[in-house]
Amino acid sequence: MAGTTATQSAAAAVNPLRKGLASDRIADPCNVVFFGASGDLMKRMLMPAMWNLRLDGILPANYGIVGFSRSQYTDDEFRDQMHRSVDEFSRSGQAKEPLWSDFAKHLAYVPGDFDDVACYHALREVLEKNDRELGTAGNRLFYLSTPPSVFATIIEHLDAAGLGPRTNKQGWSRIIIEKPFGTDLDSARALQAEVSKVFDEKLVYRIDHYLGKEPVQDIMALRFANVIFEPIWNRRYIDSVQITAAETVGVEGRGGYYDNAGALRDMIQNHVMNLLALVAMEPPVAADADSIRDEKFKVLRAVRPIERTRVTLDSARGQYDAGSNAGTPVPGYREEPDVREESNTETYAAVKLLVDNWRWADVPFYLRSGKRLARKKSEIAIRFRSLPHRLFGEAGDLLDNNVLVMKIQPEEGISLRFNAKVPGPKMHIRSVSMDFNYGTGFGVVSAPAYERLVGDAMRGDATLFTRWDAVETAWQIVMPVLDRWQNTADESFPNYSAGSQGPPSADRMLAMDDREWRKI
Ligand code: BG6
């Protein structure tokens, strides 16, 4: 068990399924610089992630964490802020001494305007000091957790201040870029042009936090670490695939951002498209970052572009009206702060895609995501074809199609629905389910996605980050729908109540194919 983290040893002691697992690799010595360090993501996710990486022994001995944002904090004020956020949001509970005091010594802060190059020189001094005093070896990981409007400026100034990879002769420089990467195909290409002037693609880590979720990583394990699924993972056996990312929350104070984005940009173009790629891709030749990302890109390229004339048939949009969330009344989208009174922004999006290749020809992939729906539920459901011949059962017996569901959240696991005989003298058939649940299976609670992702970027493992070719292709896929939705107001908005299953137009889209959405 040498090198095993505390969490792992405890879990292995009680769970034979975890016995013999090697320790997580420790990251390289480095500085992690968070731009946008006074923001919400830093408070809720990123700093608690760094703290837990420390607790789990994944941070190296030589590390520095540097915050950079406009707020005028001193180092100590920043440390206090971060202490409070860890106490409030960390999965491991309140920070304990003496560990916190030791961790806090590795925290520093640089106040500055993103467009003031002098502040980047100040940052450089802090990083060089950390290299001398903390042994961070000239390695730098920059994390852009700012509004996307300043991504390009930050990158340009990093380069100008001698902080980019070209000028860093001592160690490596990498960059993590938060979503959204562009707001449409053109702006994504323009941003990429700026990024690639300074950072080679191998140094760019575009975050999609869905890829850091354990059950999402398990999609590949299910497909490529078992022999029983892959032979039937194709058009001969699969009828259709439904990918759902449903939320109960509304825009949560982010009306200003969301009203210019909408569900298609916010969820489908990135998170849901990544799920599609993982479910539909061919087996990679190896388990390294580029082999896997090559296959993801290939399958996205095979997605049939939605013809303009088919947009209204193959997509559906919705906007929530007032309703209720767990019994509490909630306002409609247009009543949310910073949302336009007559907003045409969709808070629900559904699209039907076809993947034009040998494996998937004619198998529809139905994708949907929405806010203020009946339940929080992200899942991928693979529905198999009907039986070729019905042998058993009488009228009233349900011979449902087999369905394999990969549950991403809030439940994490896999469930397979199949038909079984009802006990008794007659051959009655009912659909039953076989379930695997991560928590009880492995006896651990999955770490939040950001922990996994920041740790991977520190180690230089880009497998769970989206490569530019996939981002660009995902934009190409959604553009016809986005164009149409932007240019034509939906007069039915608001068209679903908060707490419901979504707009009737989404049901009609599936009814045209004689199918129904799974219940949220
Ligand atoms: C973010 C979106 O990327 O994902 C949010 O911007 C959304 O609007 C969130 O709420 C959903 O993430 P999760 O992990 O709660 O499904």
Side-chain angles (χ1 to χ4, degrees):
M1 277 290 154
T4 309
T5 66
T7 331
Q8 285 174 323
S9 332
V14 292
N15 186 343
L17 280 183
R18 293 185 59 85
K19 237 178 158 171
L21 295 184
S23 67
D24 290 310
R25 265 194 310 138
I26 294 176
D28 293 348
C30 68
N31 277 298
V32 187
V33 180
F34 290 98
F35 288 93
S38 54
D40 212 45
L41 190 68
M42 183 73 175
K43 204 163 67 185
R44 288 171 182 273
M45 298 287 180
L46 300 176
M47 189 48 72
M50 296 308 290
W51 170 244
N52 284 304
L53 287 173
R54 166 73 188 85
L55 293 188
D56 275 353
I58 292 171
L59 286 191
N62 306 100
Y63 66 96
I65 299 171
V66 183
F68 184 116
S69 62
R70 288 196 192 101
S71 308
Q72 293 294 318
Y73 301 138
T74 61
D75 282 343
D76 280 338
E77 283 165 348
F78 178 63
R79 290 176 185 134
D80 288 345
Q81 286 270 351
M82 295 300 107
H83 195 173
R84 280 196 290 278
S85 73
V86 165
D87 282 350
E88 192 176 352
F89 297 108
S90 164
R91 70 182 166 96
S92 50
Q94 298 216 333
K96 300 212 171 49
E97 289 296 353
L99 260 186
W100 174 264
S101 296
D102 175 65
F103 181 77
K105 286 186 203 140
H106 297 250
L107 302 186
Y109 184 77
V110 179
D113 272 339
F114 297 125
D115 50 14
D116 178 0
V117 79
C119 304
Y120 294 76
H121 287 286
L123 172 63
R124 185 174 166 172
E125 278 171 28
V126 172
L127 297 181
E128 287 174 352
K129 179 165 170 273
N130 281 355
D131 287 342
R132 287 191 305 273
E133 294 177 5
L134 300 175
T136 38
N139 293 330
R140 291 152 190 179
L141 175 61
F142 300 106
Y143 193 127
L144 305 191
S145 165
T146 61
S149 54
V150 293
F151 287 169
T153 310
I154 296 175
I155 289 171
E156 188 191 326
H157 288 345
L158 280 175
D159 193 39
L163 287 166
R166 257 193 299 265
T167 38
N168 182 2
K169 299 287 175 241
Q170 277 179 291
W172 48 254
S173 299
R174 301 178 189 139
I175 191 156
I176 303 183
I177 305 182
E178 258 300 330
K179 67 170 275 259
F181 199 90
T183 53
D184 56 17
L185 181 59
D186 288 346
S187 60
R189 283 181 172 154
L191 173 58
Q192 174 58 16
E194 296 304 315
V195 173
S196 63
K197 278 184 202 159
V198 179
F199 289 90
D200 187 69
E201 182 62 23
K202 291 222 175 310
L203 305 173
V204 182
Y205 293 69
R206 291 180 200 78
I207 253 191
D208 181 316
H209 77 282
Y210 265 56
L211 294 179
K213 293 180 191 275
E214 286 288 346
V216 173
Q217 295 168 52
D218 194 47
I219 299 170
M220 278 201 291
L222 179 87
R223 293 191 55 198
F224 306 131
N226 294 291
V227 291
I228 57 173
F229 299 113
E230 216 33 40
I232 54 169
W233 210 263
N234 56 52
R235 64 188 305 273
R236 291 179 77 188
Y237 296 97
I238 294 179
D239 164 81
S240 57
V241 178
Q242 286 190 19
I243 306 181
T244 300
E247 301 184 88
T248 50
V249 292
V251 287
E252 304 286 282
R254 293 158 74 224
Y257 150 75
Y258 196 87
D259 209 36
N260 291 310
L264 195 62
R265 283 191 178 98
D266 188 50
M267 296 288 292
I268 303 272
Q269 185 273 342
N270 38 76
H271 306 320
V272 180
M273 208 61 85
N274 258 312
L275 299 181
L276 165 79
L278 289 168
V279 167
M281 73 186 199
E282 293 301 314
V285 291
D288 58 77
D290 273 335
S291 304
I292 291 171
R293 297 189 304 172
D294 287 347
E295 296 307 329
K296 288 177 66 185
F297 168 56
K298 267 160 61 182
V299 77
L300 291 179
R301 266 187 54 206
V303 171
R304 184 186 303 175
I306 301 183
E307 286 170 30
R308 279 169 207 279
T309 50
R310 286 206 58 91
V311 169
T312 45
L313 302 171
D314 292 343
S315 68
R317 53 178 158 165
Q319 187 188 75
Y320 63 82
D321 201 351
S324 69
N325 177 12
T328 310
V330 291
Y333 176 67
R334 291 178 180 182
E335 279 96 63
E336 300 273 11
D338 303 325
V339 168
R340 286 164 287 213
E341 259 173 49
E342 296 295 315
S343 175
N344 183 46
T345 300
E346 82 285 356
T347 59
Y348 177 104
V351 284
K352 169 184 168 183
L353 297 176
L354 291 165
V355 179
D356 284 337
N357 63 17
W358 276 60
R359 187 189 285 264
W360 295 114
D362 300 326
V363 177
F365 285 75
Y366 301 106
L367 280 41
R368 65 178 163 167
S369 180
K371 294 206 179 278
R372 287 275 188 243
L373 293 170
R375 283 182 58 204
K376 181 171 176 76
K377 182 165 158 182
S378 295
E379 62 165 38
I380 301 169
I382 312 283
R383 183 172 190 261
F384 291 89
R385 289 191 181 278
S386 315
L387 288 176
H389 170 66
R390 180 178 167 134
L391 188 58
F392 306 116
E394 299 173 358
D397 280 341
L398 303 167
L399 262 72
D400 289 344
N401 294 42
N402 296 134
V403 183
L404 179 75
V405 184
M406 292 169 251
K407 300 177 182 177
I408 295 164
Q409 62 185 18
E411 283 173 80
E412 301 185 330
I414 293 165
S415 116
L416 178 65
R417 276 204 93 72
F418 60 101
N419 295 314
K421 178 182 174 299
V422 181
K426 289 258 189 133
M427 202 63 188
H428 284 305
I429 307 292
R430 280 282 180 277
S431 173
V432 294
S433 107
M434 199 154 68
D435 294 303
F436 162 71
N437 175 297
Y438 271 94
T440 44
F442 287 102
V444 285
V445 177
S446 302
Y450 281 100
E451 250 171 71
R452 169 68 198 256
L453 295 174
V454 179
D456 279 4
M458 290 173 80
R459 283 190 288 261
D461 182 350
T463 311
L464 302 178
F465 294 84
T466 317
R467 213 168 57 184
W468 163 243
D469 50 8
V471 174
E472 183 180 38
T473 313
W475 276 120
Q476 282 167 333
I477 294 169
V478 300
M479 277 322 290
V481 182
L482 202 59
D483 278 343
R484 164 105 198 173
W485 288 2
Q486 278 186 164
N487 297 325
T488 49
D490 191 322
E491 302 300 338
S492 72
F493 278 5
N495 60 358
Y496 70 97
S497 316
S500 70
Q501 294 285 316
S505 52
D507 295 333
R508 287 197 292 274
M509 180 177 119
L510 259 70
M512 283 194 306
D513 291 353
D514 276 334
R515 295 194 178 87
E516 285 178 2
W517 289 109
R518 287 167 53 80
K519 192 155 186 264
I520 289 172

